[in-house]
Amino acid sequence: MARYSDSTTMVVTESSENDGDKESKTCGKILVALSWVLVVMTMPFSLFICFKVVQEYERAVIFRLGRLLSGGAKGPGIFFILPCIDTYARVDLRTRTYDVPPQEVLTKDSVTVSVDAVVYYRVQNATISIANVENAHHSTRLLAQTTLRNTMGTRPLHEILSERETISGNMQLSLDEATEAWGIKVERVEIKDVRLPVQLQRAMAAEAEAAREARAKVIAAEGEQKASRALREASEVIGDSPAALQLRYLQTLNTISAEKNSTIVFPLPIDMITYFMKARADNSM
């Protein structure tokens, strides 16, 4: 008995729905006929109301008695509507730019940053953008803000600063996938700026300065090491040839005289002093 009653209820519901569809179709046909009669009776003044024009970058989504008119969006150019029963909505297909306001984001490594971005999007399907969502542009903008916060919150600070292009590409794919059901195509996402707190900026600047000083000290130490090795090799060469030291003395004198100094320092070889000291010691004996 239960099965029989359920099936009976289902049959009654389906029959009532079919009856309602038939009645609505019948009423629709009658209203369409009356609208055509009104157009013919008010000729040619009705032509100013029935003919509409949309630009090259626009499309018109027409509703007849609350239902979408078959054939999709109309335009560009001239299209015809029936008075009193047809309504239409203009949809702009040009690319729009949305400047995402700065979002306070807590990164994965617990650093608070302020991030803003720019989103470029356009309406890809005019019919879906009108029928599937109340306000496609407003919904896309809110989704862009949420996606920016969620994406930045899953990455550490160094990735946000160094991998902006990768993050922008991931945001574009995520937004495009979510807005496809709304007839929106996200063409590009760009991260404009990442603002750090003042204290963090000072800490990063101090860290960078310390790193530069450390590298400078290492470079200076390496230079002194190479210079000492070169001096050792030069001393070995001079030690092998006693005349090389005298030539070096003459080169030093040439360098000093080229600068037009009034004082000239003449280096005296140690061997000459040793010779005179030995001669004095022999005379004393």
Side-chain angles (χ1 to χ4, degrees), residues 1-209:
M1 294 295 293
R3 293 181 180 177
Y4 178 76
S5 61
D6 292 342
S7 61
T8 304
T9 304
M10 186 179 299
V11 171
V12 171
T13 303
E14 290 179 355
S15 61
S16 61
E17 290 180 355
N18 293 331
D19 294 339
D21 292 339
K22 292 180 180 179
E23 291 179 358
S24 62
K25 290 180 179 179
T26 303
C27 293
K29 292 179 179 179
I30 295 173
L31 292 175
V32 170
L34 292 176
S35 181
W36 277 109
V37 172
L38 180 62
V39 170
V40 173
M41 291 178 61
T42 57
M43 290 282 287
F45 301 102
S46 60
L47 298 179
F48 295 98
I49 300 175
C50 295
F51 286 102
K52 302 294 182 180
V53 178
V54 291
Q55 303 297 328
E56 181 69 28
Y57 53 84
E58 293 178 333
R59 297 293 184 272
V61 181
I62 303 176
F63 294 88
R64 177 164 296 175
L65 297 174
R67 295 185 177 183
L68 280 171
L69 194 65
S70 61
K74 305 298 182 180
I78 300 176
F79 62 95
F80 183 84
I81 63 172
L82 291 175
C84 303
I85 63 172
D86 284 355
T87 58
Y88 72 98
R90 292 176 181 264
V91 180
D92 196 334
L93 302 182
R94 291 177 292 182
T95 299
R96 296 198 176 191
T97 304
Y98 174 55
D99 190 0
V100 182
Q103 304 292 316
E104 295 290 336
V105 181
L106 184 65
T107 61
K108 189 176 181 180
D109 49 356
S110 301
V111 178
T112 303
V113 296
S114 179
V115 185
D116 55 352
V118 180
V119 179
Y120 301 89
Y121 69 95
R122 61 180 175 85
V123 177
Q124 187 176 19
N125 191 319
T127 304
I128 294 177
S129 67
I130 295 296
N132 287 8
V133 62
E134 180 180 1
N135 191 331
H137 300 289
H138 184 63
S139 302
T140 302
R141 293 170 181 176
L142 292 180
L143 183 62
Q145 296 180 16
T146 307
T147 304
L148 178 62
R149 295 176 64 90
N150 294 338
T151 304
M152 294 300 176
T154 58
R155 293 178 176 269
L157 179 61
H158 66 90
E159 290 186 4
I160 295 176
L161 296 176
S162 61
E163 300 181 3
R164 292 189 181 185
E165 295 183 359
T166 303
I167 297 175
S168 300
N170 294 336
M171 286 184 58
Q172 178 185 353
L173 294 177
S174 179
L175 284 173
D176 194 22
E177 182 179 359
T179 57
E180 184 178 1
W182 303 341
I184 300 295
K185 173 65 177 178
V186 178
E187 297 178 341
R188 191 178 184 88
V189 178
E190 291 291 340
I191 297 175
K192 289 176 57 179
D193 191 15
V194 179
R195 299 183 182 90
L196 304 177
V198 178
Q199 296 180 354
L200 182 59
Q201 293 180 9
R202 293 176 180 175
M204 294 178 67
E207 181 182 0
E209 184 178 359

Side-chain angles (χ1 to χ4, degrees), residues 235-252:
S235 63
E236 292 177 356
V237 172
I238 293 175
D240 295 338
S241 177
L245 183 61
Q246 186 65 27
L247 292 175
R248 183 59 181 165
Y249 288 156
L250 295 175
Q251 289 178 357
T252 304

